[in-house]
Amino acid sequence: MTSVEHSPLTRKLSAFVALSEVELAVLERLHQRRRSFVAGRDMVHQGQTARAAYILSAGWVCSYKLQADGTRQIVDFQVPGDFLGLRSVLLRTSDHSFEPIVDIEAAEVLTSDLLEAFAQTPRLATAILWAASRDEAMVVEHLVGIGRRDADARMAHFLLELGSRLALVGMGSKEGYDCPLTQYHLADALGLSAVHVNRVLRQLRESGLVTFRDGHVAFHDYGRLTDFADFDPEYLDQTGPLLA
Amino acid sequence: MTSVEHSPLTRKLSAFVALSEVELAVLERLHQRRRSFVAGRDMVHQGQTARAAYILSAGWVCSYKLQADGTRQIVDFQVPGDFLGLRSVLLRTSDHSFEPIVDIEAAEVLTSDLLEAFAQTPRLATAILWAASRDEAMVVEHLVGIGRRDADARMAHFLLELGSRLALVGMGSKEGYDCPLTQYHLADALGLSAVHVNRVLRQLRESGLVTFRDGHVAFHDYGRLTDFADFDPEYLDQTGPLLA
């Protein structure tokens, strides 16, 4: 078994399924069609017929919907190990756009590739359904967050969620993580203005909770930040394989 | 092939996969453990360890999250043919509660049942992943809706979405559908007060667009309502099987 054994998707799915040699080999084949995309140029447009999904192996992507009034609602960010457009390829039309935030590496996956992989190992189908369910749980959290959390708690919750997701693929810890997002990304994701984002980040920093500066998020007091945000990571389900 | 051929889930999945005899038989086995639940009593509590998912065959359910301040955010409603708690059983802990709105009939599905079904027919795994993706697309629409649509358009969009979902399982049309929801359900789903819901419904009725009264939604001018709500049903993906 080669590098895929340590690919971010493999690390992530291993949180749910103890993968066998056969399953690792099937996952490896899903990574065959490697593609690169440059920062800032949409790789999938809203309304476009979706022909393929992607497994993100390096870099960050944001998925967003444009409103009729021209404003942008960022639905989520994708980090290494995440699928891009799995929903779109199954629903045939992309209901949103994907834009790489930095230059990225991804593997292209066709519906037929997925079907073939599922035929070879149904446990992999369950693991991918798990990953899709986890993505949906995050969108539900964001829905509740926009409705109910104030700006400071919403930001804190968001930075903690990203940290947990990155920790799962070995790119973050309770100390912090590297993060290429700008204040404009944060604003469009959290429903705040860029000025408001700036003020909220300053407050969190001055409270000694977390600093986001120069592309790095540093948690100063993880426990207190978790309490402050009322962050319960249970919905991210990272406690170890369910399927032995 | 017996009644399951016409079960709501079968009708729904048929929108995505042209089901073979073998696949119909596997679906039938998933319906074996039939259960009934009474209206108004949670069948799954938020935070509870999830041991089973359910396929809803008759009745309506709402899924909701309770906030720390005691308010309730309804995440979605489930209608016949929908899975309940598929996400919860995969994520092991339910991130929300399920409450039957009327007395319901459902089939209990264990993770092991799903794995077995996927092993027998991987196309079914893809179809269920499709259904989960469609559920996620709806939550994304609700996220955008709460952020961006005014109360009238939000209500109109919601009633149209429900109509499309019900039409897929033979329980609604462009004329309308039976609907057991109260104004309190609508309020908690749309982030409005019950008084506000009442006013919005009156406005929509007086505009000759739609009437929701005595457990029935009647569309008076489907085309005009669709324009008014900016409702594009593409995210519900009901245009016919992708997998032949």
Side-chain angles (χ1 to χ4, degrees):
Chain A
M1 205 45 49
T2 58
S3 63
V4 73
E5 197 163 344
H6 307 293
S7 84
L9 178 63
T10 305
R11 291 188 66 144
K12 181 173 148 181
L13 295 185
S14 299
F16 183 67
V17 175
L19 294 161
S20 69
E21 285 297 309
V22 170
E23 286 152 357
L24 287 169
V26 172
L27 255 185
E28 183 174 36
R29 275 198 297 283
L30 280 185
H31 283 79
Q32 264 171 353
R33 271 189 285 276
R34 293 172 189 276
R35 302 274 182 269
S36 301
F37 297 90
V38 297
R41 193 179 302 166
D42 277 355
M43 47 193 293
V44 178
H45 292 290
Q46 189 171 328
Q48 181 180 330
T49 304
R51 296 177 203 286
Y54 299 91
I55 301 167
L56 186 58
S57 50
W60 291 53
V61 173
C62 80
S63 56
Y64 65 93
K65 286 181 84 105
L66 276 185
Q67 309 300 312
D69 65 1
T71 57
R72 175 170 85 157
Q73 172 75 47
I74 291 182
V75 173
D76 202 5
F77 298 97
Q78 281 73 42
V79 299
D82 287 345
F83 271 96
L84 307 180
L86 181 61
R87 187 168 82 234
S88 308
V89 76
L90 291 167
L91 300 184
R92 288 172 264 198
T93 305
S94 185
D95 63 348
H96 52 303
S97 302
F98 289 97
E99 180 188 302
I101 289 169
V102 295
D103 292 353
I104 64 157
E105 303 289 329
E108 190 180 272
V109 181
L110 309 176
T111 315
S112 54
D113 299 336
L114 269 186
L115 263 182
E116 200 182 307
F118 291 175
Q120 289 167 321
T121 161
R123 280 159 54 99
L124 195 61
T126 314
I128 290 175
L129 191 56
W130 168 82
S133 299
R134 189 171 171 272
D135 288 348
E136 189 189 349
M138 284 192 268
V139 178
V140 169
E141 273 297 320
H142 299 168
L143 174 68
V144 173
I146 283 191
R148 308 285 181 181
R149 286 184 201 112
D150 70 23
D152 289 16
R154 208 184 301 169
M155 176 70 76
H157 197 277
F158 173 80
L159 294 176
L160 286 164
E161 178 183 276
L162 265 182
S164 288
R165 293 170 64 187
L166 289 164
L168 185 62
V169 291
M171 297 174 65
S173 72
K174 290 185 177 176
E175 305 296 309
Y177 51 90
D178 290 331
C179 177
L181 302 182
T182 66
Q183 299 198 346
Y184 296 100
H185 290 123
L186 296 176
D188 287 349
L190 299 175
L192 304 171
S193 69
V195 171
H196 199 172
V197 164
N198 203 24
R199 194 166 60 228
V200 166
L201 288 176
R202 192 175 63 237
Q203 279 162 356
L204 291 172
R205 185 172 68 239
E206 287 173 359
S207 308
L209 290 168
V210 57
T211 297
F212 180 13
R213 188 186 268 161
D214 300 332
H216 189 78
V217 172
F219 295 129
H220 302 308
D221 189 335
Y222 193 84
R224 198 153 60 86
L225 187 64
T226 297
D227 289 345
F228 176 76
D230 195 18
F231 177 67
D232 177 352
E234 212 160 45
Y235 69 101
L236 296 172
D237 190 47
Q238 306 191 161
T239 50
L242 173 65
L243 300 183
Chain B
M1 204 47 49
T2 58
S3 63
V4 73
E5 197 163 345
H6 307 293
S7 83
L9 177 63
T10 305
R11 291 188 66 144
K12 181 174 149 182
L13 295 185
S14 299
F16 184 67
V17 174
L19 295 161
S20 68
E21 285 297 310
V22 170
E23 286 152 356
L24 287 168
V26 172
L27 256 184
E28 184 175 34
R29 273 199 296 283
L30 281 185
H31 282 79
Q32 263 171 352
R33 271 189 285 276
R34 292 172 189 279
R35 302 274 182 269
S36 302
F37 296 91
V38 297
R41 192 178 302 165
D42 278 354
M43 46 192 293
V44 177
H45 292 291
Q46 190 171 328
Q48 180 179 331
T49 303
R51 296 177 202 286
Y54 299 90
I55 299 166
L56 186 59
S57 49
W60 291 53
V61 174
C62 79
S63 55
Y64 65 94
K65 286 181 85 106
L66 276 184
Q67 309 301 312
D69 65 0
T71 57
R72 175 171 85 155
Q73 171 75 47
I74 291 183
V75 174
D76 202 4
F77 299 96
Q78 281 72 43
V79 299
D82 287 345
F83 271 96
L84 307 179
L86 181 61
R87 187 168 82 234
S88 308
V89 75
L90 291 167
L91 301 184
R92 287 173 265 196
T93 305
S94 186
D95 62 350
H96 51 303
S97 301
F98 289 97
E99 180 188 302
I101 289 168
V102 295
D103 292 352
I104 64 158
E105 302 290 330
E108 190 180 271
V109 180
L110 309 177
T111 315
S112 54
D113 299 336
L114 269 186
L115 263 182
E116 201 183 305
F118 290 176
Q120 288 166 320
T121 162
R123 281 159 54 97
L124 195 61
T126 314
I128 290 176
L129 191 56
W130 168 82
S133 298
R134 189 170 170 271
D135 288 349
E136 189 189 349
M138 285 191 267
V139 179
V140 169
E141 273 298 319
H142 298 169
L143 174 68
V144 173
I146 283 192
R148 309 285 181 182
R149 286 185 201 111
D150 70 24
D152 289 14
R154 208 185 300 168
M155 176 70 76
H157 197 279
F158 174 79
L159 295 175
L160 285 163
E161 178 182 275
L162 265 182
S164 287
R165 293 170 65 188
L166 289 164
L168 185 61
V169 291
M171 296 175 66
S173 72
K174 291 185 177 175
E175 305 296 310
Y177 52 90
D178 289 331
C179 177
L181 302 182
T182 66
Q183 300 198 345
Y184 296 100
H185 291 122
L186 296 176
D188 287 349
L190 299 176
L192 304 171
S193 69
V195 171
H196 200 173
V197 164
N198 203 22
R199 194 165 60 228
V200 166
L201 287 176
R202 192 176 62 236
Q203 280 163 357
L204 291 172
R205 186 172 67 240
E206 288 173 0
S207 309
L209 291 168
V210 58
T211 297
F212 180 13
R213 189 186 269 161
D214 300 331
H216 189 79
V217 172
F219 295 129
H220 302 308
D221 189 334
Y222 193 84
R224 198 154 59 86
L225 188 63
T226 298
D227 289 345
F228 175 76
D230 195 19
F231 177 67
D232 177 353
E234 212 160 47
Y235 69 101
L236 296 171
D237 190 46
Q238 305 191 163
T239 51
L242 172 65
L243 300 183

